[in-house]
Amino acid sequence: MILSNDPRTRRRRLGAGATVAGLLAALLTAGPAVATPDPGDAPATSKEVSPKTRAQVREAVAEGGIPGQDEIVHSANIEHLANIPKDALPGTNTDLAFQGRYAFAGNYDGFRIFDIANPKAPKTVAQVLCPGSQNDISVSGNLLFLSTDSSRSDSSCNSTTQPATEKSSWEGMKVFDISDKRNPRYVAAVETACGSHTHTLVPERRNVYVYVSSYAPSAAYPDCQPPHDGISIIKVPRNAPEKAAVIDFPVLFPGEGPDGGGNPGAPVNPGVSKTTGCHDITVLPSKDLAAGACMGDGILFSIKDPERPKVIDQVQDNVNFAFWHSATFNQKADKVVFTDELGGGGAATCDAAVGPNRGADGIYDIVGKGDARKLVFRSYYKIPRHQAATENCVAHNGSLIPVKGRDLMVQAWYQGGVSVWEFTDSEHPKEIAYFERGPLSTDRIAVAGSWSAYYYNGYVYSNDMAKGLDVLKIDDRRTAPAERVRLSELNVQTQPDYFD
């Protein structure tokens, strides 16, 4: 149950009312046969905690240090406008994309399309059942792209899980025609090495290039062999998407031997992920730049020729970063925010024991010019509110809030909620607003919270893994100028030039 409260009378002791609108829609199936949600594609399951930890969490809630179970709290400059619970797609909610009056929400069981013309009351337009972890989503023109990063029996939307050790198994990219938003049509499937955990669009007038990020190879996987130190590039003709195909697999971490040239991880660097590919890439087409979050490495590369990306700089943080997860440029392209997904998103890492520098954002300045540019570390940012020991919490997906002269960002922190923060001063980042719920459970770590929190045309949209789509409104002089910026399309990993 979601509890409503007045944020002016409810405050969190540590640091620093919701209208629930359940909208139902007819279920659309994408493909010739009806699919059923597949539990084999589920993300991390809940974890039991000790009786002592359960008692401590309940005590913290009783004393007001932690919000009550599912209780909503937020700063005074945030308004919670709407929540749309999950409906026909019971899986975990994932990423978001936007186009005109529509929001597109990924889910482990498929995707959902919302009409957000009235952000206070989003309406479901379509729900497409197409299971496949984690269904990372993006849109360009009449095309919608969906990542599949679980081994499937085939590429259809009624496939079942199948071991990656079998050569016939399929993972990769799916392409849908969304010219009719109420009836998306599945038009193409492209298999990629090690599947597609996430993807990033580099759109052009005639073609859309798709950078596919995947990792975790094994000698036992016929289609996912080590060292796998690169990305798949797919070329999709807009007028003939059925001809989509992989055109190259550039190696980003060249090196000799079976492990390639990325971070070797343990035992050389204990606690750091071995680099066997990239987790996520963000491109800034107006500047011909891309930033890659690649497990044990952060990279900066040129995409002047989108078919042949060229690495400019490579950095590591073997003290505080466990898993380089995602990246965000500031508008001037002289900074990059990298996130560290400590614990894989399923652990409670926003507490005093973990501290402020792990499971955080790393802020890097970009210095120099051209291919001589370098990433220079400046500081870490982490939400200032400690979370319960039953709340999975770590830095996750966010976007810029477009304000000239300031570097502002909204970001998801799983059960840490949504944080609005400023990094105009790279060495002194600070939070300016927040929204969160109390723990989903006080008995176990139940994976939940905001997967993605993005700013789009005056509002913040957060896709909560368990609770559904939240719509927030920021009322703050620092973010107010952003309300004048309007976009016709937004895929956050394809950053626009807001002021061009």
Side-chain angles (χ1 to χ4, degrees):
M1 182 174 65
I2 298 175
L3 304 178
S4 64
N5 68 301
D6 188 334
R8 293 167 293 187
T9 60
R10 176 71 168 93
R11 294 289 184 270
R12 287 201 66 162
R13 188 172 299 172
L14 294 179
T19 299
V20 181
L23 301 178
L24 301 178
L27 176 66
L28 298 176
T29 59
V34 175
T36 56
D38 193 330
D41 287 322
T45 56
S46 62
K47 304 172 187 176
E48 295 294 330
V49 296
S50 68
K52 181 179 178 181
T53 298
R54 289 198 294 268
Q56 290 173 340
V57 171
R58 289 168 182 167
E59 181 180 1
V61 169
E63 293 179 351
I66 298 292
Q69 187 171 349
D70 274 351
E71 181 185 7
I72 290 175
V73 296
H74 49 82
S75 54
N77 55 353
I78 287 274
E79 183 181 1
H80 187 204
L81 299 181
N83 171 264
I84 311 300
K86 288 192 280 188
D87 184 16
L89 304 177
T92 295
N93 286 327
T94 60
D95 211 4
L96 293 166
F98 304 89
Q99 187 181 84
R101 63 187 288 174
Y102 299 100
F104 304 82
N107 179 285
Y108 271 66
D109 288 325
F111 64 93
R112 190 173 182 178
I113 303 177
F114 294 98
D115 183 334
I116 54 171
N118 178 4
K120 294 182 179 180
K123 298 178 180 179
T124 298
V125 174
Q127 297 187 71
V128 175
L129 188 56
C130 196
S133 164
Q134 57 187 4
N135 279 337
D136 191 49
I137 193 168
S138 58
V139 294
S140 183
N142 288 330
L143 300 178
L144 180 146
F145 301 85
L146 208 63
S147 286
T148 299
D149 192 34
S150 60
S151 187
R152 312 292 300 178
S153 57
D154 56 59
S155 63
S156 73
C157 283
N158 59 309
S159 64
T160 59
T161 56
Q162 182 169 290
T165 53
E166 295 188 20
K167 178 61 179 173
S168 63
S169 295
W170 184 92
E171 298 179 66
M173 289 298 308
K174 295 169 180 170
V175 184
F176 292 78
D177 183 319
I178 54 168
S179 51
D180 180 354
K181 301 294 189 294
R182 296 188 178 277
N183 294 283
R185 186 168 56 90
Y186 189 3
V187 295
V190 181
E191 186 171 16
T192 54
C194 300
S196 175
H197 192 71
T198 66
H199 67 270
T200 304
L201 304 187
V202 185
E204 294 186 331
R205 186 168 62 88
R206 293 183 177 179
N207 303 297
V208 180
Y209 291 97
V210 185
Y211 290 175
V212 176
S213 296
S214 57
Y215 53 94
S218 169
Y221 300 159
D223 300 317
C224 184
Q225 293 286 298
H228 190 71
D229 275 345
I231 58 173
S232 297
I233 299 180
I234 298 173
K235 185 176 182 179
V236 185
R238 290 189 184 276
N239 293 332
E242 68 279 1
K243 295 181 179 179
V246 174
I247 59 170
D248 201 2
F249 185 87
V251 175
L252 303 178
F253 303 96
E256 297 181 0
D259 295 329
N263 198 316
V268 178
N269 297 315
V272 179
S273 294
K274 174 182 175 180
T275 297
T276 59
C278 290
H279 179 277
D280 212 341
I281 292 170
T282 293
V283 297
L284 190 55
S286 65
K287 302 291 194 298
D288 291 329
L289 275 179
C294 303
M295 304 181 72
D297 295 85
I299 59 174
L300 183 70
F301 54 103
S302 167
I303 57 167
K304 202 165 190 178
D305 181 347
E307 295 188 11
R308 296 172 180 82
K310 176 184 176 182
V311 175
I312 295 172
D313 195 23
Q314 175 182 352
V315 293
Q316 297 177 356
D317 179 347
N318 295 318
V319 176
N320 288 313
F321 259 47
F323 188 92
W324 296 66
H325 176 276
S326 53
T328 303
F329 288 100
N330 70 335
Q331 184 58 43
K332 290 183 179 179
D334 59 8
K335 298 173 189 172
V336 181
V337 174
F338 288 102
T339 68
D340 173 25
E341 194 181 46
L342 176 68
T349 66
C350 295
D351 56 18
V354 174
N357 296 336
R358 301 180 66 229
D361 295 316
I363 303 167
Y364 286 75
D365 283 352
I366 302 174
V367 300
K369 296 182 179 179
D371 289 353
R373 283 172 286 191
K374 298 291 183 183
L375 293 164
V376 179
F377 173 77
R378 295 303 186 200
S379 67
Y380 298 106
Y381 170 76
K382 193 171 183 179
I383 56 173
R385 297 169 310 286
H386 290 159
Q387 304 297 304
T390 56
E391 292 182 283
N392 61 305
C393 174
V394 75
H396 215 242
N397 293 355
S399 76
L400 290 185
I401 299 176
V403 175
K404 278 188 177 181
R406 305 187 87 130
D407 295 325
L408 302 171
M409 187 171 175
V410 59
Q411 187 176 4
W413 289 79
Y414 287 142
Q415 287 198 70
V418 176
S419 177
V420 181
W421 61 288
E422 181 168 7
F423 60 105
T424 306
D425 181 345
S426 301
E427 296 183 346
H428 299 95
K430 59 183 179 181
E431 184 174 75
I432 62 178
Y434 73 90
F435 167 91
E436 68 166 295
R437 289 178 171 87
L440 185 69
S441 171
T442 58
D443 294 327
R444 62 184 61 85
I445 299 178
V447 177
S450 180
W451 179 290
S452 299
Y454 298 148
Y455 185 93
Y456 178 68
N457 291 353
Y459 298 86
V460 171
Y461 297 87
S462 167
N463 210 18
D464 188 291
M465 293 189 283
K467 295 297 180 181
L469 182 74
D470 289 304
V471 185
L472 310 175
K473 180 72 172 177
I474 310 171
D475 181 13
D476 191 285
R477 59 177 178 77
R478 291 162 288 193
T479 62
E483 296 186 17
R484 297 191 292 269
V485 179
R486 287 292 182 268
L487 300 176
S488 58
E489 191 171 273
L490 177 64
N491 300 295
V492 168
Q493 285 72 38
T494 306
Q495 284 190 219
D497 188 334
Y498 290 98
F499 306 112
D500 186 13

